[in-house]
Amino acid sequence: MRSPSVHPIRPRGRRLDNRRGIALGVALLFTVAIGALATSAIVLTSNASLMSKAVNQQRIMKYAADAALQMGKSHVNFDPAALPDSGDTVLVSNQPLHTADGTEIPNIRVTIWAGPTGSTTGQFGRFASVVAEAVDNRGSGAVRRLELVQESFAKFAYYTNEETSASSGSTIYFANGDELWGPVFSNDVIHIASSGATFHDDVSTSQTISGKGYGTYLKGYHEHASSIAFPSSSALSLLPAYANLAGYAFTSASSSGVSSVRTRIEFVATDIMGTGDSLAVQDGFFRVYKANSGNYQWLRGDWPGGSTQSDYVNCGDWHTIDGVSEFFPVAIHKTSWFKTLLQTDGGYNSTNATNEYNASVTTIMSHSGARCYLGGDPHLVAVARTTSITDPATGSNYTNSAVQKGGTDTTFTPVDRYGAWVKYSDAPVSAVATRRPQDAKYLFPIYRGYNTNVKGVITFDGDVGVSGTLQGRVTLYAQHGNIVILDDTRYAADPTLGRCADILGLLSDKDIMIADNAINTPQDVNTGYGTTWKSLDDTQDMNIHAVIMAMGHSFGAEDYDSGPSSALQCQGQYDGRGCLYVTGGIIQDNRGPVGLTSGQGFIKRYSYDRCAAVQPPPYFPTTGRFQDNRYFEIDPVGFNATALFQSITPGS
């Protein structure tokens, strides 16, 4: 038997191909890849470094341009001739910059331009721009623009050049707990009496504060500050021309002083648009009254004194006639028609009518609501009209029925026995004629839509009295004269709400004074016995919403040192005339007094209107110092300074 065949078993192994260079290839591949990564890292690092250097260089040029702007601003503020009247000028050309230690910054040169821009008339403030270009040695650059606004005197709640009275030379003190809100500045020594004063904002003086310890300074004080020069009235020389464009340049009836002013302006805010208030821009007007020769007491609303009833034409009381409360001056109480009217239409029996007919001045003025009005006021119709005067509305003389009546807001008398209102137009705007038919022809509009030439300026050549409620933005200028504040002067929009809708600037070549009349000063209605002092206004305090600037001398109160000393109270403290609330600012060459520490006159309550700092009255004087307003970055590509200034200046 044959044995089966046995095949030998061979060991198995991997077949080796011809790949001797593969390891080297792989090694080279990794080497190249790593090299590429290294090269990329180097390139990226280099690019990052270059970008960082470029960004850093751009930052340096930006800072250089910003520094150059401040150099230009300094030029404009300290060199009055640096800023041209129009166009632009080069202040610095291709000059290096230096660090604080005087080291020159390498490879950077700056050029600085300046010129007036924005509104160049001054109606909304005075603006200028400084433009700076910084360029390096490669031609790269940065351009910046700083718009400047000239600081208005309206920024101050209180400013004086001298703290002494112009008339007596005596020093005037803050005293009796006076309180002032807003910035206070003086070029003179500020004096504070031991009775104290509180300052709610910064207090600065170019000299020192005497009685410093008597003051309360809620935001601190600064002595030896840089002085701020007070301007001359020549700065206002263009205002009459601006007013004349609108027909609002008037000649006063006299310029013989505060106590004999015969022209007055009354601001009138009235609901023309039917909105239920008088806050629309169309609602602002004023009217002008001129008294005949010798009738200054009538216009001012002075208290005649004594017991002769016929002299009391501005003051009286109220009676209800046919269901309507009407005003009757004292002077007409002793007339037969008044007695008859009380019986026929007033519901009086014969006895009561006779008693009112025979009532004394003291009795009449002691009645509730008894008060006084300024000459020309519609409430004074019974003494203003006579049957010998022509009614302009009819062309015929006033009838007895038009004369023998009580006064209301609507009994407007264009021409009266003592003077006349100035006519604006025989063809007033229809909306005004519809709403105010009685006086539409005598209302001068503040709204430009009703008079396109309005520039926000009203001027009087001579003395002028002021009162009323303002809706709009107005600067009132008494050229060669005084401004006499005859009654409260308010804004239609409460200034404490910050709407910045209304602003009034009062500018006078002489003084701005609060009248000592029957409206602003309590009167002895007991006709000379000094026992029955009574306020005869609608409110016992004085309210003034305005930025006041007395270019000649002072703001003050007429006869501040006479009259009652404890007739009223100002926030719990007795004095003669109550609180003097001024919301706005008081700027004056010499400080004027408004009261005494013994009680006569007013106690000050001065508040700041922050709107005046950012939106001052039209063409209001400036300090000459420019402040930052807005900042702009300009594209340096294709930059041309002259073209830029032309593009940002109206009319250029």
Side-chain angles (χ1 to χ4, degrees), residues 481-514:
N482 303 280
I483 291 179
V484 188
I485 302 175
L486 299 171
D487 196 357
D488 295 331
T489 304
R490 304 172 180 264
Y491 297 154
D494 186 343
T496 62
L497 300 179
R499 292 181 66 243
C500 296
D502 311 320
I503 195 75
L504 174 62
L506 297 179
L507 299 172
S508 169
D509 279 351
K510 296 183 180 179
D511 293 324
I512 299 178
M513 303 295 289
I514 302 172

Short mmCIF file of all heavy atoms in Angstrom, two decimals, residues 481-514:
data_model
loop_
_atom_site.label_atom_id
_atom_site.label_comp_id
_atom_site.label_asym_id
_atom_site.label_seq_id
_atom_site.Cartn_x
_atom_site.Cartn_y
_atom_site.Cartn_z
N GLY A 481 -32.40 153.91 25.43
CA GLY A 481 -33.44 154.04 26.45
C GLY A 481 -33.40 152.96 27.49
O GLY A 481 -32.52 152.09 27.53
N ASN A 482 -34.41 153.01 28.38
CA ASN A 482 -34.60 152.05 29.46
C ASN A 482 -35.72 151.08 29.11
O ASN A 482 -36.63 151.41 28.34
CB ASN A 482 -34.98 152.76 30.76
CG ASN A 482 -33.98 153.81 31.19
OD1 ASN A 482 -32.95 153.50 31.78
ND2 ASN A 482 -34.28 155.08 30.91
N ILE A 483 -35.67 149.91 29.72
CA ILE A 483 -36.80 148.98 29.69
C ILE A 483 -37.41 148.99 31.08
O ILE A 483 -36.70 148.82 32.09
CB ILE A 483 -36.38 147.57 29.29
CG1 ILE A 483 -35.96 147.54 27.81
CG2 ILE A 483 -37.52 146.58 29.52
CD1 ILE A 483 -35.49 146.18 27.33
N VAL A 484 -38.73 149.20 31.14
CA VAL A 484 -39.45 149.25 32.41
C VAL A 484 -40.40 148.05 32.46
O VAL A 484 -41.29 147.93 31.61
CB VAL A 484 -40.24 150.56 32.55
CG1 VAL A 484 -40.81 150.67 33.96
CG2 VAL A 484 -39.37 151.77 32.23
N ILE A 485 -40.19 147.17 33.42
CA ILE A 485 -41.05 145.99 33.56
C ILE A 485 -42.27 146.42 34.36
O ILE A 485 -42.20 146.66 35.57
CB ILE A 485 -40.29 144.84 34.23
CG1 ILE A 485 -39.05 144.50 33.40
CG2 ILE A 485 -41.20 143.62 34.38
CD1 ILE A 485 -38.16 143.45 34.02
N LEU A 486 -43.40 146.54 33.66
CA LEU A 486 -44.61 147.12 34.24
C LEU A 486 -45.49 146.10 34.95
O LEU A 486 -46.28 146.45 35.83
CB LEU A 486 -45.43 147.80 33.13
CG LEU A 486 -44.73 148.96 32.41
CD1 LEU A 486 -45.55 149.40 31.21
CD2 LEU A 486 -44.52 150.13 33.38
N ASP A 487 -45.36 144.85 34.57
CA ASP A 487 -46.19 143.78 35.16
C ASP A 487 -45.48 142.47 34.87
O ASP A 487 -44.44 142.43 34.19
CB ASP A 487 -47.60 143.82 34.56
CG ASP A 487 -48.62 143.03 35.39
OD1 ASP A 487 -48.22 142.41 36.39
OD2 ASP A 487 -49.82 143.04 35.03
N ASP A 488 -46.05 141.36 35.34
CA ASP A 488 -45.47 140.06 35.08
C ASP A 488 -45.21 139.87 33.59
O ASP A 488 -46.03 140.24 32.75
CB ASP A 488 -46.40 138.95 35.57
CG ASP A 488 -46.58 138.96 37.08
OD1 ASP A 488 -45.65 139.39 37.78
OD2 ASP A 488 -47.66 138.55 37.54
N THR A 489 -44.07 139.26 33.28
CA THR A 489 -43.71 138.95 31.90
C THR A 489 -43.36 137.47 31.87
O THR A 489 -42.34 137.06 32.42
CB THR A 489 -42.53 139.82 31.44
OG1 THR A 489 -42.86 141.20 31.60
CG2 THR A 489 -42.20 139.56 29.98
N ARG A 490 -44.22 136.69 31.24
CA ARG A 490 -44.10 135.24 31.31
C ARG A 490 -44.01 134.61 29.92
O ARG A 490 -44.30 135.23 28.91
CB ARG A 490 -45.32 134.63 32.02
CG ARG A 490 -45.61 135.16 33.42
CD ARG A 490 -46.95 134.60 33.88
NE ARG A 490 -47.35 135.04 35.20
CZ ARG A 490 -47.15 134.35 36.32
NH1 ARG A 490 -46.53 133.19 36.26
NH2 ARG A 490 -47.56 134.80 37.49
N TYR A 491 -43.64 133.30 29.92
CA TYR A 491 -43.68 132.48 28.71
C TYR A 491 -45.00 131.71 28.67
O TYR A 491 -45.54 131.33 29.71
CB TYR A 491 -42.54 131.47 28.67
CG TYR A 491 -41.16 132.09 28.63
CD1 TYR A 491 -40.06 131.39 29.11
CD2 TYR A 491 -40.94 133.36 28.10
CE1 TYR A 491 -38.78 131.93 29.07
CE2 TYR A 491 -39.67 133.91 28.05
CZ TYR A 491 -38.60 133.19 28.55
OH TYR A 491 -37.34 133.73 28.51
N ALA A 492 -45.49 131.46 27.46
CA ALA A 492 -46.70 130.66 27.31
C ALA A 492 -46.46 129.24 27.79
O ALA A 492 -47.33 128.62 28.41
CB ALA A 492 -47.15 130.67 25.85
N ALA A 493 -45.27 128.70 27.51
CA ALA A 493 -44.90 127.37 27.97
C ALA A 493 -44.08 127.50 29.24
O ALA A 493 -43.09 128.24 29.28
CB ALA A 493 -44.10 126.64 26.90
N ASP A 494 -44.48 126.83 30.29
CA ASP A 494 -43.79 126.89 31.57
C ASP A 494 -42.31 126.55 31.37
O ASP A 494 -41.98 125.44 30.92
CB ASP A 494 -44.43 125.89 32.53
CG ASP A 494 -43.87 125.98 33.93
OD1 ASP A 494 -42.78 126.57 34.12
OD2 ASP A 494 -44.50 125.44 34.86
N PRO A 495 -41.38 127.46 31.66
CA PRO A 495 -39.96 127.19 31.41
C PRO A 495 -39.40 126.04 32.23
O PRO A 495 -38.37 125.46 31.86
CB PRO A 495 -39.28 128.52 31.76
CG PRO A 495 -40.22 129.23 32.67
CD PRO A 495 -41.59 128.81 32.23
N THR A 496 -40.05 125.69 33.34
CA THR A 496 -39.54 124.59 34.16
C THR A 496 -39.74 123.24 33.47
O THR A 496 -39.12 122.25 33.89
CB THR A 496 -40.23 124.56 35.52
OG1 THR A 496 -41.64 124.34 35.34
CG2 THR A 496 -40.04 125.88 36.25
N LEU A 497 -40.56 123.18 32.43
CA LEU A 497 -40.81 121.92 31.72
C LEU A 497 -39.73 121.61 30.69
O LEU A 497 -39.69 120.51 30.14
CB LEU A 497 -42.18 121.96 31.04
CG LEU A 497 -43.38 122.16 31.96
CD1 LEU A 497 -44.68 122.20 31.16
CD2 LEU A 497 -43.44 121.07 33.02
N GLY A 498 -38.86 122.59 30.39
CA GLY A 498 -37.74 122.35 29.49
C GLY A 498 -38.10 122.17 28.03
O GLY A 498 -37.36 121.53 27.28
N ARG A 499 -39.23 122.75 27.58
CA ARG A 499 -39.63 122.61 26.18
C ARG A 499 -38.77 123.48 25.26
O ARG A 499 -38.67 123.23 24.07
CB ARG A 499 -41.10 122.98 25.98
CG ARG A 499 -42.08 122.03 26.62
CD ARG A 499 -43.52 122.46 26.35
NE ARG A 499 -43.87 122.36 24.95
CZ ARG A 499 -44.21 123.40 24.18
NH1 ARG A 499 -44.19 124.62 24.69
NH2 ARG A 499 -44.53 123.24 22.92
N CYS A 500 -38.18 124.52 25.80
CA CYS A 500 -37.35 125.45 25.02
C CYS A 500 -38.12 126.03 23.84
O CYS A 500 -37.55 126.26 22.76
CB CYS A 500 -36.07 124.78 24.54
SG CYS A 500 -34.96 124.25 25.87
N ALA A 501 -39.40 126.29 24.03
CA ALA A 501 -40.22 126.84 22.95
C ALA A 501 -40.19 128.36 22.95
O ALA A 501 -40.27 128.98 21.88
CB ALA A 501 -41.66 126.35 23.09
N ASP A 502 -40.07 128.98 24.11
CA ASP A 502 -40.14 130.44 24.23
C ASP A 502 -38.86 130.96 24.87
O ASP A 502 -38.30 130.34 25.77
CB ASP A 502 -41.34 130.86 25.08
CG ASP A 502 -42.64 130.18 24.66
OD1 ASP A 502 -42.85 130.05 23.45
OD2 ASP A 502 -43.41 129.77 25.54
N ILE A 503 -38.42 132.10 24.40
CA ILE A 503 -37.26 132.76 25.01
C ILE A 503 -37.36 134.25 24.75
O ILE A 503 -37.71 134.67 23.64
CB ILE A 503 -35.93 132.19 24.47
CG1 ILE A 503 -34.75 132.61 25.36
CG2 ILE A 503 -35.70 132.59 23.03
CD1 ILE A 503 -34.66 131.87 26.64
N LEU A 504 -37.09 135.04 25.76
CA LEU A 504 -37.14 136.50 25.65
C LEU A 504 -35.83 137.08 26.12
O LEU A 504 -35.38 136.81 27.24
CB LEU A 504 -38.29 137.07 26.49
CG LEU A 504 -38.38 138.61 26.57
CD1 LEU A 504 -38.61 139.21 25.19
CD2 LEU A 504 -39.48 139.03 27.54
N GLY A 505 -35.21 137.87 25.26
CA GLY A 505 -34.03 138.63 25.65
C GLY A 505 -34.39 140.09 25.79
O GLY A 505 -35.01 140.67 24.90
N LEU A 506 -34.08 140.70 26.93
CA LEU A 506 -34.32 142.11 27.17
C LEU A 506 -32.98 142.83 27.18
O LEU A 506 -32.13 142.57 28.05
CB LEU A 506 -35.05 142.33 28.50
CG LEU A 506 -36.45 141.73 28.63
CD1 LEU A 506 -37.02 142.02 30.02
CD2 LEU A 506 -37.39 142.27 27.56
N LEU A 507 -32.76 143.70 26.20
CA LEU A 507 -31.51 144.44 26.07
C LEU A 507 -31.80 145.93 26.13
O LEU A 507 -32.70 146.42 25.45
CB LEU A 507 -30.83 144.12 24.73
CG LEU A 507 -30.43 142.67 24.47
CD1 LEU A 507 -29.96 142.52 23.03
CD2 LEU A 507 -29.35 142.24 25.43
N SER A 508 -31.03 146.64 26.93
CA SER A 508 -31.23 148.07 27.08
C SER A 508 -29.90 148.79 27.08
O SER A 508 -28.94 148.34 27.71
CB SER A 508 -31.98 148.36 28.39
OG SER A 508 -31.97 149.74 28.67
N ASP A 509 -29.86 149.93 26.38
CA ASP A 509 -28.65 150.76 26.41
C ASP A 509 -28.48 151.43 27.77
O ASP A 509 -27.39 151.90 28.10
CB ASP A 509 -28.72 151.85 25.33
CG ASP A 509 -28.32 151.32 23.97
OD1 ASP A 509 -27.84 150.18 23.89
OD2 ASP A 509 -28.49 152.05 22.97
N LYS A 510 -29.55 151.49 28.55
CA LYS A 510 -29.49 152.11 29.87
C LYS A 510 -29.82 151.08 30.94
O LYS A 510 -29.13 150.09 31.09
CB LYS A 510 -30.44 153.32 29.91
CG LYS A 510 -30.02 154.44 28.95
CD LYS A 510 -30.94 155.65 29.09
CE LYS A 510 -30.53 156.75 28.13
NZ LYS A 510 -31.42 157.95 28.23
N ASP A 511 -30.90 151.28 31.68
CA ASP A 511 -31.27 150.39 32.78
C ASP A 511 -32.48 149.54 32.41
O ASP A 511 -33.27 149.88 31.52
CB ASP A 511 -31.62 151.19 34.04
CG ASP A 511 -30.41 151.90 34.62
OD1 ASP A 511 -29.31 151.33 34.56
OD2 ASP A 511 -30.59 153.02 35.14
N ILE A 512 -32.65 148.45 33.14
CA ILE A 512 -33.86 147.64 33.08
C ILE A 512 -34.41 147.60 34.50
O ILE A 512 -33.77 147.05 35.41
CB ILE A 512 -33.58 146.23 32.55
CG1 ILE A 512 -33.01 146.31 31.13
CG2 ILE A 512 -34.85 145.38 32.57
CD1 ILE A 512 -32.65 144.96 30.52
N MET A 513 -35.59 148.21 34.69
CA MET A 513 -36.10 148.43 36.03
C MET A 513 -37.52 147.88 36.19
O MET A 513 -38.33 147.95 35.26
CB MET A 513 -36.13 149.93 36.35
CG MET A 513 -34.79 150.62 36.23
SD MET A 513 -33.57 150.03 37.43
CE MET A 513 -34.25 150.75 38.92
N ILE A 514 -37.80 147.35 37.37
CA ILE A 514 -39.17 146.96 37.73
C ILE A 514 -39.88 148.20 38.25
O ILE A 514 -39.42 148.85 39.19
CB ILE A 514 -39.16 145.87 38.81
CG1 ILE A 514 -38.38 144.64 38.32
CG2 ILE A 514 -40.58 145.47 39.18
CD1 ILE A 514 -38.17 143.60 39.39
#
